[in-house]
Amino acid sequence: MDFNGSLAFDIDSDRELARSLDERRRVALAEIDNAPFSWFHVKVCIVAGVGFFTDAYDIFAIDIAVNMLKFTYGNGSISSWTSTGLKVATPIGNLVGQLLFGWLADIYGRKRMYGIELLIMIVATFSQALSGQSPAVGIIGALIFWRFVMGVGIGGGYPLSAIISSEFAASRIRGRLMTVVFAFQGWGQFTAAAVGILVLSAFKSEILESPYPASTPIDYCWRILIGMGCIPGVIALYFRLTIPETPRFTMDIERNISQAAKDIDTVVGTHTGAVDKCSVEHVKAPRASRADFVAYFSRWKNLKVIIGTAYSWFALDIAFYGLGMNSSIILTAMNFSPSGSTNTSRSVFQSLRNNCIGNLILSVAGLIPGYWVSFLFIDSWGRKPIQLMGFIILTVLFLIMGFCYDILNASQSGRHVFVALYCLANFFQNFGPNTTTFIIPGEAFPTRYRSTAHGISAASGKLGAVVAQLAWGGTGGSVKPIMQIFAFIMLTGIFSTLLLPETKQRTLEDISNEEQRDYITGVVDPSREIAPRW
């Protein structure tokens, strides 16, 4: 009888402790969700944003560099499939990096992985600038290899930057904070074009004085253009390696409420004292495993979300990278950077310079403003309405550019209209699905799968980027059919958006579709616990 009474007392005591710990977890999470905007949030934006600046610079600089390479190693021309290989290597590497680092960040932590991907990117970028031609290995093959490796590093930054910024942000500003991080991408594209103009200007006299095709000075130009991508990465590396672990990872994956509470007090500075006496380190809570992953995503309410995030990103990136990495082809097709007159060193210089100026104009006229208009409305309109609006408008714009291409290209005024529509497409990509497809996967899943799911979604996007480059290669760079294909793809993005939840002003735990009351069910001894198998 005494034994039974003691057993009942122990059970009641364990239940009371579990309820107490569960409440303390909710209080700790509320501290993050309600924290005022602080210098720490600014630091997170800068550290994560500089990575995206570098990513965009390194990815989109190749569109300019390819035009330099054809005069350095191609005697004025380069095959469409060679160009496609150079452009598609990075998205393929992105796909690998996003899946790999997304998964690793959910196992080993955001902090442990953050910075490793940047190291990979720095080494690969520098190696591209030093690549050379040899009898055994051609310059194009070497560049494709190093751009793939660089892509792995760039890809790793997507889930890590998204998750770190979302898990540290207060609910009311989370969309704007994540948008600021992602908006650095536009400045990276702008800077790639600006650096292209600067290096061409610096070598102008050497290019003009060299015999056609001025291969030696242009060789310096593309190497400097690519190599400059290392500089912001090196600057950001220290801060990435020293950024703290997110309290949500510590609390929900390492299941250490005590340490998470201390971390919240350190980084947010609004500790209420509700968890001061919490000495328990490891608790019983849902854990990531292969079986749990299947169980979570086998429920339609969760499965439809990852289908929606993955396909929406896939559809968007077909157009986003299809345009962004082939701007020179479109500018040439519209006679902005004519390709038929590059038979003297002067015409080569002018053609390359026009290409850089064209990319600069496209960034300023469409890409950069789109990010910042998203910033203004992301936490008031919401993610889903902005994404839906973006896909609808992009469908219409690509239909006009595709089916009216011949009419528009027949006159100078028509070509001006086409370029204006092209800038509008860039604008509504960023004030639309390009921003929201980055944000929603960083919010819509539980902590133990948030990085993995974001990596899956982002990798789907890079699969779309690969498809886009192969489509350009397959059509020989013909603009008209590509625009028509883009219109259809944008139409399908409308339907995938309907699968998504609205996440504005909601806590990450509420969005995750998991019951938060009784989330913690007890205390465990980690030395006796068997690790789940993935």
Side-chain angles (χ1 to χ4, degrees):
M1 185 71 181
D2 289 341
F3 173 77
N4 291 334
S6 175
L7 180 61
F9 176 79
D10 288 342
I11 293 173
D12 289 341
S13 178
D14 288 344
R15 287 175 178 171
E16 184 60 33
L17 178 59
R19 282 194 293 268
S20 175
L21 290 169
D22 197 58
E23 177 63 26
R24 288 166 179 169
R25 172 181 175 270
R26 290 198 298 275
V27 170
L29 290 171
E31 289 186 25
I32 304 174
D33 292 330
N34 299 316
F37 185 73
S38 66
W39 169 247
F40 180 78
H41 292 116
V42 175
K43 179 183 176 181
V44 170
C45 282
I46 294 173
V47 173
V50 170
F52 269 102
F53 175 93
T54 308
D55 295 350
Y57 181 100
D58 290 338
I59 289 174
F60 293 102
I62 194 63
D63 181 52
I64 299 170
V66 162
N67 285 285
M68 296 178 178
L69 285 166
K70 71 181 182 182
F71 294 110
T72 309
Y73 297 100
N75 197 30
S77 65
I78 191 171
S79 73
S80 62
W81 284 113
T82 299
S83 175
T84 299
L86 287 166
K87 294 175 182 178
V88 83
T90 300
I92 292 175
N94 291 162
L95 190 155
V96 174
Q98 287 158 345
L99 291 174
L100 178 63
F101 279 89
W103 175 61
L104 291 175
D106 275 341
I107 296 177
Y108 298 107
R110 289 73 163 119
K111 174 181 172 59
R112 290 184 183 178
M113 294 295 107
Y114 213 36
I116 295 175
E117 90 295 352
L118 193 57
L119 275 170
I120 294 172
M121 186 172 62
I122 291 169
V123 171
T125 301
F126 195 63
S127 298
Q128 288 176 70
L130 297 180
S131 295
Q133 184 88 325
S134 74
V137 180
I139 182 68
I140 300 300
L143 286 175
I144 288 175
F145 171 78
W146 285 116
R147 288 195 68 77
F148 169 80
V149 175
M150 181 189 75
V152 173
I154 290 174
Y158 272 72
L160 288 166
S161 293
I163 301 313
I164 284 175
S165 56
S166 72
E167 291 184 350
F168 274 123
S171 299
R172 69 187 180 283
I173 62 168
R174 189 175 59 240
R176 280 172 286 171
L177 192 146
M178 295 180 75
T179 301
V180 168
V181 169
F182 198 55
F184 276 80
Q185 189 179 72
W187 292 110
Q189 291 174 257
F190 174 88
T191 304
V195 171
I197 294 172
L198 289 175
V199 295
L200 284 170
S201 299
F203 286 91
K204 179 179 180 179
S205 60
E206 288 85 348
I207 294 173
L208 296 180
E209 293 169 4
S210 299
Y212 176 83
S215 58
T216 300
I218 294 176
D219 194 48
Y220 286 116
C221 290
W222 77 260
R223 291 179 188 277
I224 294 172
L225 172 66
I226 295 294
M228 289 286 283
C230 293
I231 295 175
V234 170
I235 293 172
L237 183 59
Y238 169 77
F239 296 99
R240 285 205 173 186
L241 294 173
T242 57
I243 199 166
E245 183 56 84
T246 69
R248 280 184 162 92
F249 179 86
T250 304
M251 189 180 305
D252 287 354
I253 298 180
E254 292 185 336
R255 296 170 299 147
N256 189 334
I257 295 180
S258 177
Q259 184 60 50
K262 295 175 184 176
D263 293 343
I264 292 170
D265 190 24
T266 300
V267 301
V268 179
T270 60
H271 189 40
T272 63
V275 289
D276 280 339
K277 297 181 180 180
C278 179
S279 59
V280 175
E281 292 195 350
H282 293 274
V283 298
K284 290 181 181 179
R287 299 194 66 187
S289 67
R290 190 180 304 145
D292 182 71
F293 182 89
V294 171
Y296 178 82
F297 285 105
S298 63
R299 295 191 285 272
W300 173 243
K301 65 178 181 178
N302 302 323
L303 179 62
K304 71 177 183 179
V305 176
I306 198 167
I307 291 174
T309 58
Y311 185 82
S312 295
W313 208 332
F314 171 83
L316 179 277
D317 272 7
I318 286 179
F320 183 74
Y321 284 91
L323 297 183
M325 297 181 74
N326 296 283
S327 295
S328 60
I329 296 175
I330 296 173
L331 291 169
T332 298
M334 303 311 294
N335 292 327
F336 187 89
S337 178
S339 58
S341 60
T342 52
N343 53 9
T344 66
S345 293
R346 180 170 292 277
S347 63
V348 167
F349 172 82
Q350 195 60 45
S351 177
L352 293 174
R353 189 172 182 275
N354 283 353
N355 177 234
C356 292
I357 293 173
N359 278 278
L360 204 66
I361 292 171
L362 294 176
S363 295
V364 174
L367 290 168
I368 293 174
Y371 288 113
W372 294 102
V373 175
S374 286
F375 171 82
L376 293 176
F377 293 102
I378 195 73
D379 282 322
S380 55
W381 284 14
R383 289 66 152 151
K384 189 172 181 178
I386 290 176
Q387 181 166 312
L388 197 60
M389 173 203 67
F391 272 127
I392 291 171
I393 294 176
L394 287 170
T395 301
V396 174
L397 289 173
F398 285 125
L399 280 172
I400 296 172
M401 287 190 286
F403 288 95
C404 299
Y405 178 80
D406 292 332
I407 298 172
L408 294 173
N409 198 28
S411 65
Q412 187 64 33
S413 59
R415 286 192 285 271
H416 288 161
V417 171
F418 184 92
V419 172
L421 292 172
Y422 184 81
C423 289
L424 276 176
N426 283 331
F427 176 83
F428 282 105
Q429 282 177 331
N430 291 335
F431 179 38
N434 189 41
T435 299
T436 54
T437 52
F438 171 78
I439 293 174
I440 295 173
E443 302 176 308
F445 305 100
T447 302
R448 65 189 184 278
Y449 299 127
R450 189 170 293 126
S451 184
T452 301
H454 192 284
I456 292 171
S457 302
S460 298
K462 293 308 165 286
L463 179 61
V466 172
V467 170
Q469 301 313 312
L470 294 176
W472 278 103
T475 60
S478 179
V479 176
K480 180 180 177 179
I482 288 294
M483 294 299 171
Q484 295 171 355
I485 293 171
F486 286 175
F488 173 74
I489 297 298
M490 295 304 99
L491 180 64
T492 64
I494 296 172
F495 297 102
S496 63
T497 302
L498 299 176
L499 298 173
L500 300 174
E502 179 50 65
T503 60
K504 70 169 184 176
Q505 307 295 333
R506 296 170 63 190
T507 68
L508 296 178
E509 286 66 39
D510 177 45
I511 302 167
S512 70
N513 283 332
E514 288 192 315
E515 178 58 49
Q516 296 304 301
R517 192 166 295 278
D518 297 327
Y519 189 84
I520 292 174
T521 56
V523 180
V524 298
D525 179 358
S527 64
R528 297 182 179 180
E529 190 174 23
I530 299 175
R533 296 182 61 185
W534 259 92

